[in-house]
Amino acid sequence: MSNDTLQKGPVHVLPSLPYAENALEPVISARTIEFHYGKHHKGYVDNLNKLIAGTEYAALKLEKLIGETAGKPDKAGIFNNASQVWNHTFFWNSLKPKGGGEPPAALKKKIETDFGTMDALKKELTTAATTQFGSGWAWLVLEGSVLKVVKTGNADSPLTKGMKPLLTVDVWEHAYYLDYQNRRADYVAAVLDKLINWEFAALNLE
Ligand code: MN
């Protein structure tokens, strides 16, 4: 195979899940992961590769591609798929089996400085996740030197708003409908209590 042939192959690949498909049960079922990771996330990767094939965008790394296409209506297809690829990879890493509990000490101290208490942060995350109208994401981010909770619609990302994401919760219906139907608040509460990966958030703070 020549180099020329290799360069025409898919630029972006679906990253491996950081755990088994059934590892988040009973909070998120293997069936949900099978569709959410295996169909939705994979679909964004496949669509992105099709959209950028043979274009200048094929040479860009994912975060650069997101920054270059954000806010450009004629590039919305590329942006939406690229950002959804990034958001989903970040979401899988924001969860872990037997998550929840207490953050590492340095992150906990920072949370207490910026939000007052862990409960206050969880309440803000829950409000953001449950009041996002329609599809989107709730995030813990660092803006400047301050932790904040923000929500974004559809594929939008804090990355394009100059913020550093620490963790996210996917609140698209495909994230919870098989397991929780319309009960988004129950899904969010279970994720925050049992799956959220504070160690991952702490690594992103460093
Ligand atoms: Mn999703």
Side-chain angles (χ1 to χ4, degrees), residues 114-115 124 139-143 146-150 163:
D114 292 349
F115 293 93
E124 267 204 53
W139 306 81
L140 175 64
V141 302
L142 193 62
E143 187 178 41
V146 181
L147 292 177
K148 285 188 177 171
V149 168
V150 297
M163 301 168 182

Side-chain angles (χ1 to χ4, degrees), residues 66-195:
I66 291 166
E68 291 284 314
T69 55
K72 295 180 180 166
D74 60 325
K75 299 290 182 277
I78 295 176
F79 171 80
N80 285 336
N81 283 283
S83 194
Q84 284 293 79
V85 170
W86 195 97
N87 290 353
H88 280 88
T89 301
F90 196 78
F91 174 55
W92 304 130
N93 283 288
S94 296
L95 308 179
K96 66 170 194 175
K98 299 192 177 78
E102 293 282 301
L107 175 59
K108 189 176 179 204
K109 192 167 170 231
K110 179 74 177 145
I111 287 169
E112 287 171 349
T113 301
D114 292 349
F115 293 93
T117 62
M118 278 299 296
D119 280 348
L121 164 61
K122 283 193 209 165
K123 201 172 165 194
E124 267 204 53
L125 271 170
T126 302
T127 300
T130 53
T131 61
Q132 169 56 35
F133 186 78
S135 297
W137 304 82
W139 306 81
L140 175 64
V141 302
L142 193 62
E143 187 178 41
S145 61
V146 181
L147 292 177
K148 285 188 177 171
V149 168
V150 297
K151 54 187 177 180
T152 61
N154 298 318
D156 282 350
S157 167
L159 289 178
T160 63
K161 303 169 185 9
M163 301 168 182
K164 183 175 167 56
L166 301 193
L167 61 79
T168 193
V169 179
D170 187 343
V171 295
W172 282 57
E173 283 187 350
H174 66 222
Y176 60 87
Y177 222 82
L178 291 175
D179 298 328
Y180 297 86
Q181 295 78 48
N182 62 320
R183 291 174 286 114
R184 187 192 286 188
D186 291 353
Y187 155 75
V188 171
V191 163
L192 292 181
D193 283 345
K194 294 170 183 159
L195 297 181

